[in-house]
Every structure is written in C-alpha cells, then in structure tokens.
C-alpha cells in the first residue's frame, strides 16, 4: 500500500502501530538484546519515534494541519539502490520472458561490464528491473575464464527485500579486466507471462587504487538434508572453520517460506589445548535474527569498529530454526513435510557472511587496538 498521503495512510493506522511496536517495520529484524547491535545504515526507529506513532494511533490518528505537511517525496530510478548512486550499472541486454505456468525455471546469461583494467568494488547490489514477483533469487558471478570456469566466482545475490553489500574502507572485491558478469536467475511462474530483467550496480574505488584487503561473501553454516515435519518448529546446526584470522563484515540469514530465526556464534579455539586441563571452549553469540520476516532478505553490515575480529581456527556456528506449522503466516502448506531444495516451496538454511582475512601480525595489531579502545570506554 502507498503511505504518501494522509488519506492513504489513515486506514492502516492500527497495522502501522502494530508493525512499528514489534519493530517489524522499518524492516530490521536483528535481535536488539543479543550480540552486536551497531550496523551501517540501520533504519530502525528510536523508542521516542515509536512512542510518537503509537500515541498518534491511540488518539484517533488525527490529520493535523495540512499546512504543516512537507512536500511529497519524489522518487527516481536511483531510489531502488540502497547504496546510493552507483558508478556502474550492468544490465541484461534484453529481458527473459517467463512463461505464465509451469515449474521453477533457471535462466543463465553473461553480460560484459566493459572493464579494460582491473577495478575494485566498494559496494555491490543486484535488483530486478522488471519481474519482481517471479524472481526467487539471482546470483551474480564473476567469470574470468569462460573455458575452465564458466560458472565463475560468487559476487553478489538478490533475494526478495535484499539491500546492498557494503565493504569496509580499504577493502573490496576485485573485478579483473575482461571479466564477465554471469546472472543465474531462479524463476517461479505466477500465472502471467512476465518479462524479467536483472541489473547489477557497483560503487568503485578510483582507478589504480588497490585496497589492502580483498573482501568476499560466502555460505556459512549450511543446514544440509533438512527434515521439517508438518506442524513443527525444527532446529538445524551448521559449522564453518576460519582457516585464518578474519574480520566478519556482514551477516544475512537465508531461508525460504518457513524461516523463523537464525543465530551466528563464534566458538573460539582453545589456547590451552596442550594443557592437561584445557577447559571448555569459549563462545560468543555474534548476531541473531529472532523474528525473521519472509520478504526481507536483509544484509546486516556491521559498523567497522564492532565487526567481529576472530582468530584463525574459530568455528562459526550457525543455528537455524524453521517453522513448518500453521502459526507461520507465510507457510504455503503446514500439513506437508518439507526438505532441502532449490525450489521456492522447498527449504534452505544458511548464512551469507561477508569477510576478509588477515595475516597474524595484522590480527594482533587490531586486537590490541580494540582492547585499548574498550579500556578507554570503561568508567
């Protein structure tokens, strides 16, 4: 629904109150009581703003003076990019027309961004130009050698409600000269023949600038062979061991219809492993999405000063909950068993995690600097 004018918003007053009080809107579903809670571009309302909206509803949602109304926002094509105005937009040359009915389809196409020299990316975002309703997801890969590796290296992903991947200063993704962008689009017909066209937006470092760190994004904690009985909430666990010291820069849970919650935990290596009494492993919950809302595949980009700084050997433990019951309003059929699969009606459970690796000297330097800042903040 549109909320541009008072007349459009007024019928939804009670729904607006409910969504903002539950912090479901604006969409930002990180649990504020667990783990890290400082992020880039957090759109959350303050407690005072929520109280103002709630009081407005409780007092009958009055219009106020029309003379005080600010001008209506004017939207442009650039408003679809969460990261702001991109430097380069790479688009399919023509739409793929999805048939009206049938099973899920996958469409693959390569697009040449025209880079004649190596470029580093500060931020990246993928979006449909058309066909939002039928695009389940789209991955964008970098194809550097179409003969030996026609699939390429993962660059970015679009899923419904997805925002941008924004890399910390002095880190970024490398796109080599001559590399192609490979779009792999997962499509689900919805009864109407639909043209689908995807675009990838890039913010670039200046020509010739080489950031110190090469950032990337990958799966962590995949819950394989999901077994989701009808009518139940099911927990799954997955793990990933960091081969080197690393800085985690972003966290994004990924589910289909039945996603309920996900937490990411760091299990630290035992520095006393050679001791006769090594003791229990130290662990720390980094982030949780405790009330996942289907339709918002949000990337939570950590603020630089609180990004998890983890030693080599740390195990990333991802705990995922699926709700296959009738209490889940997004569940298309709570009477059916559900397993793992690519289709929209199947399920997945993993975290997209962005990170960059450090050498040991860099890790130690960052660790000491962070300890120093923490000490300064203590009363």
């Amino acid at each position: 629904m549109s909320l541009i004018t008072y007349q459009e918003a007024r019928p939804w007053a009670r729904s607006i109150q409910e969504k903002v009080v539950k912090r479901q809107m604006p969409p930002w579903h990180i649990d504020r009581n667990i783990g890290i809670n400082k992020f880039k571009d957090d759109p959350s309302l303050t407690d005072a703003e929520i109280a103002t909206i709630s009081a407005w509803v409780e007092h009958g949602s009055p219009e106020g003076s029309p003379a005080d109304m600010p001008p209506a926002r004017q939207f442009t094509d650039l408003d679809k990019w969460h990261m702001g105005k991109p430097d380069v937009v790479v688009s399919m040359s023509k739409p793929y027309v999805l048939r009206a009915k049938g099973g899920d389809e996958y469409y693959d196409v390569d697009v040449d961004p025209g880079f004649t020299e190596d470029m580093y990316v500060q931020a990246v975002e993928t979006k449909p130009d058309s066909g939002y309703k039928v695009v389940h997801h789209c991955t964008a890969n970098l194809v550097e050698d179409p003969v030996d590796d026609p699939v390429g290296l993962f660059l970015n992903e679009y899923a419904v409600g997805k925002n941008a991947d924004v890399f910390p200063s002095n880190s970024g993704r490398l796109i080599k000269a001559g590399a192609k962008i490979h779009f792999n689009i997962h499509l689900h017909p919805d009864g109407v023949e639909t043209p689908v066209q995807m675009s990838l937006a890039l913010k670039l470092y200046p020509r010739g600038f080489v950031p110190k760190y090469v950032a990337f994004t990958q799966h962590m904690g995949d819950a394989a062979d999901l077994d989701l009985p009808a009518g139940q909430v099911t927990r799954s666990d997955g793990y990933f061991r960091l081969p080197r010291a690393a800085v985690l820069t972003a966290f994004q849970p990924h589910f289909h219809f039945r996603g309920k919650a996900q937490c990411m935990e760091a299990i630290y290596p035992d520095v006393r492993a050679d001791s006769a009494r090594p003791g229990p492993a130290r662990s720390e919950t980094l982030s949780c999405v405790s009330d996942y809302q289907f339709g918002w595949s949000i990337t939570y980009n950590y603020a630089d000063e609180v990004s998890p700084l983890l030693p080599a050997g740390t195990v990333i433990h991802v705990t995922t909950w699926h709700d296959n019951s009738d209490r889940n309003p997004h569940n298309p059929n709570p009477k059916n068993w559900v397993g793992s699969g690519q289709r929209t009606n199947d399920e997945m459970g993993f975290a997209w995690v962005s990170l960059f690796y450090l050498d040991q000297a860099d890790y130690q330097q960052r660790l000491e600097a962070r300890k120093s800042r923490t000490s300064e903040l203590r009363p």
Side-chain angles (χ1 to χ4, degrees), residues 1-184:
M1 67 285 205
S2 173
L3 301 175
I4 296 295
T5 68
Y6 172 78
Q7 288 73 23
E8 291 170 339
R10 177 60 183 84
W12 299 96
R14 286 291 175 186
S15 294
I16 291 169
Q17 180 187 33
E18 177 186 1
K19 293 294 184 181
V20 299
V21 167
K22 290 181 177 180
R23 292 192 175 275
Q24 293 176 350
M25 292 298 285
W28 194 259
H29 307 126
I30 281 282
D31 193 315
R32 300 164 68 88
N33 301 305
I34 302 173
I36 297 168
N37 267 288
K38 193 171 183 181
F39 298 88
K40 298 173 181 175
D41 302 321
D42 181 350
S44 302
L45 299 177
T46 66
D47 291 341
E49 288 169 334
I50 292 173
T52 297
I53 292 172
S54 188
W56 170 69
V57 175
E58 294 300 333
H59 287 83
S61 311
E63 181 177 7
S65 172
D68 296 333
M69 179 74 72
R73 177 175 170 179
Q74 300 298 310
F75 293 94
T76 73
D77 289 343
L78 293 179
D79 286 310
K80 77 174 183 178
W81 304 115
H82 290 84
M83 64 182 183
K85 184 178 179 180
D87 296 312
V88 175
V89 177
V90 182
S91 303
M92 294 166 51
S93 60
K94 62 179 181 179
Y96 172 74
V97 180
L98 179 68
R99 61 191 178 187
K101 297 180 180 180
D104 287 22
E105 289 190 28
Y106 295 85
Y107 179 67
D108 292 90
V109 61
D110 287 345
V111 181
D112 187 353
F115 289 163
T116 57
E117 56 186 302
D118 293 355
M119 300 298 293
Y120 282 90
V121 176
Q122 298 182 67
V124 57
E125 188 172 0
T126 305
K127 285 280 192 296
D129 298 312
S130 62
Y132 272 95
K133 290 179 64 176
V134 298
V135 179
H136 173 272
H137 80 265
C138 173
T139 56
N141 286 11
L142 293 172
V143 179
E144 298 172 358
D145 189 330
V147 176
D148 290 342
D149 186 11
V151 175
L153 305 169
F154 176 79
L155 174 62
N156 187 243
E157 173 240 16
Y158 165 78
V160 61
K162 176 76 180 283
N163 51 334
D165 288 341
V166 181
F167 304 117
S169 59
N170 211 14
S171 71
R173 288 299 306 271
L174 170 64
I175 299 182
K176 292 185 177 181
K180 304 292 195 301
I181 304 297
H182 178 88
F183 289 117
N184 171 257

Side-chain angles (χ1 to χ4, degrees), residues 289-312:
V289 167
S290 300
D291 182 23
Y292 178 78
Q293 298 293 309
F294 179 76
W296 296 104
S297 301
I298 299 171
T299 296
Y300 300 96
N301 294 291
Y302 294 114
D304 293 351
E305 66 271 21
V306 297
S307 292
L309 175 62
L310 305 174

